[in-house]
Amino acid sequence: MKKQHLILGLLLACFQLASAQFTLEGEFRPRSEYFGNGGNFTGGSFPAQTAVKGDEGFVRTTVRAALKATYATEAYKVHINFQEVFAFGDRQQISTAGNGNFRVQEAWADLKLGEFSTLKLGRQQLSYDDQRILGGLGWAQQARTHDAAVFKYKKDGYNLDIGASLNTTTDEVYNNVTLFTYRDMVFMRANKKFDKLNFSALALVNTFQNGTALSPAGSNKATLITAGLHAGYKTGALGLSTNLFLQEGNRMVGSYQDVSGAYLASLDATLKASDKVTLLAGIESISGAQDDSAGFFPLFGTNHKFNGLIDRFYVGNHANANGLVDINFGAKFALPKGYNLTAKFHNFSEESGDGNALGNELDLVVAKGFKGYKLVGGYSHFFEPDTAPANAKDTQNWAWLMLVIKPKFLNGLK
């Protein structure tokens, strides 16, 4: 009942505060997916992997349901986002219990410090540039947020964010070792937008901790430094985007690992061939494991956006592998009656080790906007390399269909 009282209280407050400073929005986003690619509930382990003969395809429907409220004054802005993620069938029809996934997704206050500066405190998204290193992970129904404080400065096209996060709950030990969960983090991101050039520098330092001593020195902490540049350039019909990031230090992924000279480098190009066709091409190289170093890992980015939509690489996987070289090309088409089609083909291979082929992937996405809602769907097919297991399933595929509705119940913000 506590959840119902909380939501009811929020709704009553909405009507009382309905003014030029308050907005209340919702989100309803069901997505049905067919997993025929080996992972994601099809007999393999999450995330996607090679399906073997005998693995059966599986359809699963998940939903993001959210209620978001924002209140703004001249001195501050407050935002709260209540969200539940559920799967069809995860609760018995007459059960009085929920699935445990209702939570405060975001809760932050943005305080005005001066004419050009603010301080944003609380649970919030950290999303910058193309989201390669820090992203909101909007594809995942649960998305990603950080518990952080961020100082923001904006003036004359310059943007500077300096943030910090400390995830200690009951004592000084944060006993969780994954590349997606850190004990503490500090970061700085600087950006300047010119006429045709958008340039950013990003640096972050993460400490990972386990309750047991894993390192050679007996410490239970590992510190990883990630730093690099992002640039975007657009002139006429041509657009270019590039990333260059380095990693140094240590990390923990099941064991204590040294990281030295690990890198991520990418270049993407778009060319608007006509009003209805845009051509796409790109290459990305992510360093893999060496004798004296673990490979690069893109940490807290929206990794589903990169290296193929079927999530074979760097979506909770591939952390200790031989890196990745992704050469891709494709096109976007504006179709009749408001439909849009994106098609992209990827060629994957190892960056280190023997440089083995890792397969090819074809991704198709179709989107159509309607009055008040949007439909998006897609199909991905993975073509296994010659080195795939002999019992690999002949067809490795994934398909999905998603409805997106974002109603605005109250909109008083000017």
Side-chain angles (χ1 to χ4, degrees):
M1 291 296 292
K2 290 182 179 180
K3 292 190 292 183
Q4 290 85 340
H5 291 161
L6 185 63
I7 295 174
L8 180 59
L10 179 62
L11 292 174
L12 292 174
C14 293
F15 290 106
Q16 294 175 359
L17 297 174
S19 68
Q21 300 168 316
F22 185 81
T23 182
L24 180 66
E25 301 173 299
E27 183 175 11
F28 177 69
R29 199 178 80 165
R31 182 170 69 226
S32 293
E33 301 173 71
Y34 169 77
F35 299 101
N37 55 317
N40 297 3
F41 315 101
T42 64
S45 59
F46 182 87
Q49 62 180 20
T50 300
V52 299
K53 294 176 181 177
D55 285 347
E56 295 293 335
F58 185 78
V59 176
R60 186 173 191 253
T61 298
T62 58
V63 178
R64 175 197 293 175
L67 188 63
K68 311 172 187 181
T70 304
Y71 181 78
T73 70
E74 292 184 0
Y76 65 86
K77 179 186 290 186
V78 176
H79 176 83
I80 188 165
N81 174 2
F82 297 103
Q83 176 177 291
E84 178 158 2
V85 175
F86 61 92
F88 281 15
D90 70 358
R91 187 199 69 179
Q92 295 182 7
Q93 295 174 0
I94 59 173
S95 173
T96 58
N99 62 7
N101 291 334
F102 180 84
R103 65 183 183 181
V104 178
Q105 178 70 10
E106 292 183 84
W108 51 259
D110 199 5
L111 311 178
K112 186 174 182 180
L113 302 181
E115 184 178 358
F116 306 108
S117 61
T118 65
L119 179 63
K120 191 174 181 181
L121 299 163
R123 183 161 296 177
Q124 57 189 285
Q125 286 193 358
L126 298 177
S127 183
Y128 296 109
D129 303 311
D130 63 353
Q131 303 187 55
R132 194 63 182 108
I133 302 299
L134 282 174
L137 195 61
W139 165 262
Q141 297 286 41
Q142 73 276 11
R144 176 188 285 124
T145 55
H146 300 254
D147 298 331
V150 184
F151 170 80
K152 296 175 176 285
Y153 181 85
K154 297 181 181 181
K155 185 179 180 181
D156 299 331
Y158 290 92
N159 293 270
L160 175 66
D161 285 15
I162 301 175
S165 175
L166 177 60
N167 295 324
T168 47
T169 53
T170 58
D171 54 37
E172 281 298 301
V173 176
Y174 190 72
N175 189 8
N176 195 320
V177 178
T178 73
L179 287 179
F180 297 109
T181 305
Y182 51 83
R183 179 188 186 273
D184 53 74
M185 176 178 72
V186 293
F187 75 91
M188 181 182 72
R189 186 256 189 179
N191 171 261
K192 170 62 176 175
K193 294 181 180 179
F194 302 92
D195 181 31
K196 297 180 180 179
L197 177 66
N198 182 16
F199 184 81
S200 298
L202 174 66
L204 56 156
V205 180
N206 291 101
T207 300
F208 306 96
Q209 185 179 34
N210 193 301
T212 59
L214 295 179
S215 73
S219 170
N220 61 358
K221 295 180 183 178
T223 299
L224 184 66
I225 301 171
T226 305
L229 304 173
H230 169 84
Y233 180 79
K234 186 170 179 59
T235 176
L238 177 65
L240 298 173
S241 178
T242 185
N243 288 309
L244 178 60
F245 285 91
L246 299 175
Q247 281 182 340
E248 292 279 344
N250 312 104
R251 72 184 200 188
M252 293 182 184
V253 185
S255 62
Y256 189 90
Q257 300 174 336
D258 291 321
V259 180
S260 178
Y263 75 89
L264 178 150
S266 68
L267 177 63
D268 291 285
T270 63
L271 178 64
K272 191 171 182 180
S274 69
D275 291 340
K276 296 184 178 181
V277 179
T278 300
L279 303 179
L280 314 170
I283 182 171
E284 181 172 64
S285 180
I286 302 174
S287 67
Q290 307 287 343
D291 291 339
D292 59 350
S293 174
F296 187 97
F297 197 86
L299 292 178
F300 317 113
T302 302
N303 293 343
H304 173 79
K305 178 183 175 184
F306 303 90
N307 309 134
L309 299 180
I310 212 167
D311 291 346
R312 280 291 182 99
F313 309 102
Y314 300 107
V315 182
N317 56 5
H318 213 66
N320 294 316
N322 289 327
L324 183 70
V325 176
D326 174 6
I327 301 172
N328 57 81
F329 59 89
K332 292 183 178 180
F333 304 92
L335 304 177
K337 297 184 179 182
Y339 286 91
N340 291 281
L341 169 66
T342 300
K344 184 177 281 191
F345 183 83
H346 298 261
N347 174 262
F348 301 115
S349 59
E350 294 179 335
E351 185 275 339
S352 63
D354 295 329
N356 292 326
L358 295 176
N360 300 291
E361 181 174 333
L362 175 64
D363 296 322
L364 302 173
V365 178
V366 179
K368 164 69 173 175
F370 298 87
K371 188 175 181 179
Y373 65 95
K374 183 178 182 180
L375 280 174
V376 191
Y379 176 82
S380 294
H381 198 106
F382 197 89
F383 303 90
E384 295 288 347
D386 293 337
T387 55
N391 63 340
K393 195 175 179 180
D394 293 335
T395 301
Q396 310 276 337
N397 59 358
W398 169 67
W400 56 279
L401 180 64
M402 181 167 69
L403 169 68
V404 182
I405 305 176
K406 296 182 177 181
K408 294 184 181 296
F409 303 116
L410 290 172
N411 190 9
L413 290 180
K414 294 182 179 179

